[in-house]
Amino acid sequence: MRERHRSLERLLRVKNQLQQMDEAKLEEIRRRKTAAEAEKQQLLKMLGDATNNDPLILGLACRHLVRSERIERELLIEEQAQKAELLRGTAQKKALENIVKETGRTIAREEEKRQLLDIGERLAARAHSSLP
């Protein structure tokens, strides 16, 4: 039982590390999404000032804006998928934490029973030896 408990604790540490990695991935996706939104805003600002820009530059900006919109949609989908993965991993980690706690309690109860049996055996041994 102790070996199982140690294995479960190791698994829990791995789950914690995986959750940290998933959180870092989500943060990276959000950073890229923010950068894409900022780029889109700059392009829209440039397009709004059409009188000071060359038509060729405006055409390139429009194409870039379309590409930026596509990237933003892809990042939104990726963000949602990563959030779902993070929630799934969190649920698994919580379930594993409960199993580890229950295993620890079981080990503690077994240890207490063993100690009580040892005490009982010692008391019984003394009782038999004191008889004439």
Side-chain angles (χ1 to χ4, degrees), residues 3 5-15 96:
E3 186 59 36
H5 185 69
R6 281 193 291 273
S7 295
L8 289 170
E9 285 178 330
R10 281 192 303 270
L11 183 59
L12 183 58
R13 284 192 300 273
V14 169
K15 286 284 186 188
L96 185 58

Side-chain angles (χ1 to χ4, degrees), residues 69-109:
E69 282 285 331
R70 181 183 46 80
I71 289 171
E72 199 173 330
R73 279 192 308 275
E74 290 170 357
L75 286 172
L76 183 62
I77 292 168
E78 192 176 341
E79 180 184 30
Q80 295 302 320
Q82 189 61 37
K83 281 181 182 178
E85 178 68 23
L86 187 58
L87 285 174
R88 186 185 61 75
T90 300
Q92 287 179 347
K93 187 182 97 169
K94 290 292 182 188
L96 185 58
E97 285 174 347
N98 290 336
I99 291 169
V100 168
K101 286 177 187 175
E102 184 57 37
T103 305
R105 285 192 291 264
T106 301
I107 290 171
R109 282 192 304 269

Side-chain angles (χ1 to χ4, degrees), residues 43-44 46-68:
L43 288 170
L44 289 172
M46 184 186 346
L47 289 173
D49 192 17
T51 57
N52 294 334
N53 288 317
D54 186 296
L56 177 65
I57 293 174
L58 289 175
L60 291 172
C62 285
R63 283 193 289 277
H64 197 68
L65 184 61
V66 169
R67 186 180 68 81
S68 181

